[in-house]
């Protein structure tokens, strides 16, 4: 039963990845077109870079006070958090199933 819930958490992470693939590139394109100074402030504005992802999780996009950017970056932030939480929880459940037979 524990492994079933671990698999459900992996499915949750996959759903988060699907939303992340949709919203994060759109947010970066919006940054490129409307907020080039904020994009330049990022050390590496690539799709998947630890600094950029931490900036997203931290909510650094809110300093622009751009409602359109908030509308794109907030779902990307929620989906990134869903990915991380889902994988972390699946890992904990898997460890639980291995340690406690």
């Amino acid at each position: 039963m524990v492994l079933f819930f671990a698999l459900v958490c992996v499915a949750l992470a996959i759903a988060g990845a699907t939303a992340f693939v949709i919203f994060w590139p759109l947010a970066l394109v919006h940054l490129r077109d409307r907020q080039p100074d904020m994009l330049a402030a990022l050390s590496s504005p690539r799709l998947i870079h630890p600094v950029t992802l931490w900036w997203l999780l931290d909510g650094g996009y809110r300093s622009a006070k751009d409602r359109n950017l908030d509308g794109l970056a907030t779902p990307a932030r929620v989906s990134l958090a869903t990915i991380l939480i889902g994988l972390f929880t699946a890992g904990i459940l898997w460890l639980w199933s291995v340690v406690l037979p």
Side-chain angles (χ1 to χ4, degrees):
M1 192 66 164
V2 174
L3 287 177
F4 171 74
F5 287 124
L7 188 60
V8 169
C9 290
V10 170
L12 184 69
I14 291 171
T18 303
F20 185 77
V21 166
I22 293 169
F23 285 104
W24 182 230
L26 292 173
L28 285 177
V29 168
H30 183 83
L31 277 174
R32 184 194 66 200
D33 293 344
R34 305 269 173 100
Q35 306 287 338
D37 52 339
M38 184 175 281
L39 186 65
L42 291 172
S43 64
S44 178
R46 291 182 286 178
L47 276 176
I48 300 176
H49 190 270
V51 173
T52 309
L53 295 178
W54 183 254
W55 175 81
L56 177 65
L57 275 177
D58 191 37
Y61 59 90
R62 291 182 182 162
S63 65
K65 306 236 188 304
D66 184 357
R67 290 181 51 185
N68 294 325
L69 179 59
D70 287 347
L72 292 171
T74 300
R77 180 183 185 195
V78 169
S79 63
L80 181 58
T82 303
I83 293 168
L84 295 175
I85 291 169
L87 290 178
F88 177 76
T89 307
I92 294 295
L93 289 171
W94 175 77
L95 280 175
W96 186 15
S97 73
V98 170
V99 172
L100 298 173

